[in-house]
Amino acid sequence: MVKKILVFGATGHLGAYTALHLKELGYGIVAVGHRTSDNVFFTTKNIHYIGGFALENENSYSNLPTDIDAVVHLAGTMPAHADAKPMPYIQSIVVGMVNLCEWLKNSTQCKRVIFNTTPSDVCAFFGTDNPVPDDAPRSFPKDGGDHAIYAIAKTAAADILESYKYSAGISSCVFRHLTVYGYQPNPYYSLNGIKKMLPWRFIQQKAMNGETVEVWGNATRKKELLYIKDFTKAVECAIKSDVEGYFNLSGDRPYTLEEQIDGIIEVFNPADKKSKKIYCPEKPNTPQNLLDSSKARKLMNWHPQYSWIKALLDMKKEMNDEPFAVLWGRYSDFCQ
């Protein structure tokens, strides 16, 4: 019998790719999103879409099917797409998790939830050459920025979810990961309520024009580069397994800042124009954030397949094809 899976946050970056990947694997998918309309995107993929859903609204759950086998929960207010006010995080993430678990407990036979949290809950351990283990003590950023409340909310939601293991038998797998790279037509995000261009997309634009690229700070600083299609593979592995608890997801290996920039230049430079690099060691360093994902590789049999170059080539292809244009718009809608 085909498993039926609810994907929350289906109109977002992680959710849209995940819904399509699981559909391609043969699962019955119901896509759930806050947006009232998906512009019939999911209909063209033979996926039922339920829009206008609010995690924090108990009445929203009455619109969901109850004959489900698993929930992939990738929804909730995010700092990158919101202002700096704290209450939306508490309502959508914390209250939303309580509502979801109560609905699963009282209205369904579903006992499996896959959720994702933030690496900000272990940010105290970043900045070294030592990858942070899955079960490192959790906290929150102490800088007072918007990620503090977000991390607190995500940690609380994960704890609430775990508590329902004991009260309702719900099994949960929680992913922790840094930025999940993938093509999005909109290269902008919000930082403490201020609109900014994603740094790697800014470098990409420079490379596309063959312009000089600055390398800030220490060029040997490393970062995990997780690609969206490796993320969806992790969701697949979690659905197929019985693993529980926290699982870090990293990329195929850490990459230095220089390797990241060299890859972007190699893939996005015009054939007739090569970008030059200017080193600016006096400018701020990029964060060095490393996660140990050996637990996911061992227990879920999850193995990232995308190197940074392979990921960039795939993003370039999708930038040309724009497979999610109906759902998200086109690059030209955001960048002239």
Side-chain angles (χ1 to χ4, degrees), residues 55 163-164 308 316:
L55 290 159
S163 76
Y164 275 80
W308 181 229
K316 184 177 182 180

Side-chain angles (χ1 to χ4, degrees), residues 318-333:
E318 295 205 340
M319 191 172 186
N320 291 325
D321 298 344
E322 302 215 75
F324 293 90
V326 172
L327 185 63
W328 296 333
R330 298 183 179 277
Y331 181 74
S332 57
D333 296 331

Side-chain angles (χ1 to χ4, degrees), residues 64-325:
L64 301 179
T66 57
D67 57 333
I68 58 172
D69 298 286
V71 173
V72 179
H73 182 0
L74 304 172
T77 302
M78 292 180 60
H81 305 292
D83 60 27
K85 296 179 181 178
M87 195 53 70
Y89 302 117
I90 303 301
Q91 289 289 338
S92 69
I93 299 172
V94 179
V95 176
M97 183 59 81
V98 172
N99 287 341
L100 171 61
C101 290
E102 281 292 299
W103 174 74
L104 291 173
K105 175 183 175 181
N106 297 321
S107 302
T108 80
Q109 296 298 312
C110 177
K111 300 297 182 183
R112 183 64 167 164
V113 177
I114 295 160
F115 183 54
N116 71 327
T117 190
T118 170
S120 293
D121 68 347
V122 293
C123 65
F125 300 96
F126 287 146
T128 75
D129 291 327
N130 301 317
V132 181
D134 310 76
D135 299 318
R138 290 172 282 154
S139 183
F140 60 90
K142 305 302 193 292
D143 59 5
D146 55 5
H147 278 69
I149 296 298
Y150 179 64
I152 292 167
K154 278 286 194 177
T155 296
D159 287 343
I160 289 166
L161 179 57
E162 184 183 6
S163 76
Y164 275 80
K165 172 183 177 180
Y166 304 99
S167 64
I170 296 174
S171 166
S172 62
C173 175
V174 180
F175 291 143
R176 178 189 291 115
H177 53 80
L178 295 153
T179 301
V180 178
Y181 290 86
Y183 174 66
Q184 270 268 3
N186 183 1
Y188 295 97
Y189 74 112
S190 176
L191 179 62
N192 292 320
I194 300 172
K195 181 180 176 181
K196 294 178 177 290
M197 181 175 280
L198 290 162
W200 77 273
R201 293 294 295 269
F202 178 76
I203 296 170
Q204 179 198 62
Q205 259 194 1
K206 290 280 190 181
M208 289 169 62
N209 296 327
E211 299 173 5
T212 298
V213 174
E214 292 184 349
V215 183
W216 284 22
N218 183 348
T220 67
R221 301 269 283 185
K222 296 177 182 178
K223 186 179 180 183
E224 306 287 359
L225 304 175
L226 175 64
Y227 190 50
I228 182 63
K229 294 179 182 177
D230 280 328
F231 174 85
T232 61
K233 184 67 176 179
V235 175
E236 173 192 341
C237 292
I239 289 172
K240 291 179 176 178
S241 71
D242 296 322
V243 296
E244 295 181 301
Y246 274 75
F247 289 83
N248 289 339
L249 301 180
S250 62
D252 70 316
R253 67 173 177 85
Y255 288 83
T256 66
L257 174 62
E258 185 143 41
E259 286 178 314
Q260 295 169 49
I261 292 174
D262 285 346
I264 293 172
I265 289 173
E266 177 183 332
V267 171
F268 287 97
N269 260 178
D272 60 345
K273 200 168 185 181
K274 174 109 174 143
S275 291
K276 295 180 180 179
K277 292 185 296 185
I278 294 180
Y279 294 88
C280 305
E282 75 285 357
K283 292 193 174 181
N285 283 322
T286 186
Q288 177 155 302
N289 301 336
L290 305 178
L291 295 172
D292 179 0
S293 62
S294 58
K295 181 179 171 184
R297 297 169 195 246
K298 180 179 179 180
L299 298 185
M300 293 198 310
N301 196 30
W302 173 74
H303 301 283
Q305 300 298 307
Y306 283 82
S307 67
W308 181 229
I309 289 292
K310 184 178 178 181
L312 289 169
L313 288 169
D314 197 57
M315 281 187 272
K316 184 177 182 180
K317 181 180 183 300
E318 295 205 340
M319 191 172 186
N320 291 325
D321 298 344
E322 302 215 75
F324 293 90

